[in-house]
Amino acid sequence: KFFLFLKKSIQEMDYNNFKLAQRNIEGIENCLLLNKAISISNGVVCYSKKRAEDAYQVVCENLEDIDEGVKVESTTVASIIEDFNLEFIDFVKMDIEGEEVRVFDERLADLSWLRRVGTFNIEVHTVESDLHQIVSTLSDHGFKAWKSDHHWSAVFATKI
């Protein structure tokens, strides 16, 4: 079984959080930590530590537009699946600081990787209409998807 935690456990874009996560996984076998951001393309994105009190936010792909923030390498979920030759991911916990809207936008991203995922828990960092759009997209791709009753910005989905 494979569990993919996008941000806090296996994927972490902030270097200080990445170093802390490295210490937290010491001694755990078969655990890989990547210091990258999840995005709609492989390359570099920037994020701001000033956008919200309790979170970072990916602010641009065009690095010439940034006057504040941190640059970090980015990757797609599809690239992670390909790079590590993953046939199926049982559970994805996604907390990618606002980028989830673009990652689940079929006009911007290839969503064929969704067929390799069983269950999602996604934290949505934008407006509620985006949350409903992600639920709709997941439903269109064969998931039973719903907004959490316990957390205003969480989406759950399971393959049906």
Side-chain angles (χ1 to χ4, degrees), residues 28-86:
I28 299 174
E29 293 182 27
N30 299 320
C31 188
L32 173 68
L33 187 64
L34 304 173
N35 184 207
K36 296 182 179 184
I38 295 294
S39 189
I40 61 171
S41 63
N42 296 318
V44 177
V45 296
C46 49
Y47 67 95
S48 172
K49 293 184 176 189
K50 299 178 182 180
R51 289 292 178 137
E53 185 175 308
D54 65 342
Y56 302 117
Q57 184 175 4
V58 173
V59 291
C60 68
E61 284 188 304
N62 183 355
L63 300 178
E64 296 167 4
D65 292 343
I66 189 169
D67 57 354
E68 65 176 74
V70 179
K71 298 174 188 176
V72 65
E73 188 177 345
S74 66
T75 189
T76 65
V77 178
S79 292
I80 291 172
I81 289 169
E82 182 180 326
D83 291 348
F84 296 100
N85 196 28
L86 303 175

Side-chain angles (χ1 to χ4, degrees), residues 109-127:
D110 174 13
L111 299 182
S112 62
W113 61 272
L114 291 174
R115 70 180 186 278
R116 295 182 184 226
V117 175
T119 304
F120 280 101
N121 177 344
I122 306 163
E123 188 170 328
V124 180
H125 287 269
T126 55
V127 296

Side-chain angles (χ1 to χ4, degrees), residues 7-9 12 14-26 28 33 35 56:
K7 185 174 180 292
K8 302 259 177 175
S9 292
E12 177 54 62
D14 181 71
Y15 185 73
N16 290 330
N17 286 345
F18 172 76
K19 296 305 285 180
L20 177 61
Q22 280 183 317
R23 286 194 304 273
N24 289 341
I25 66 168
E26 283 180 16
I28 299 174
L33 187 64
N35 184 207
Y56 302 117

Side-chain angles (χ1 to χ4, degrees), residues 91-144:
F91 179 79
V92 172
K93 167 62 171 108
M94 186 177 284
D95 180 0
I96 56 175
E97 310 304 335
E99 193 66 355
E100 62 281 341
V101 175
R102 292 175 1 120
V103 166
F104 287 100
D105 186 334
E106 293 182 278
R107 297 166 297 173
L108 301 174
D110 174 13
L111 299 182
S112 62
W113 61 272
L114 291 174
R115 70 180 186 278
R116 295 182 184 226
V117 175
T119 304
F120 280 101
N121 177 344
I122 306 163
E123 188 170 328
V124 180
H125 287 269
T126 55
V127 296
E128 186 147 351
S129 61
D130 291 334
L131 187 141
H132 293 293
Q133 182 58 48
I134 291 170
V135 167
S136 178
T137 298
L138 288 167
S139 297
D140 291 346
H141 285 268
F143 289 86
K144 177 182 179 191

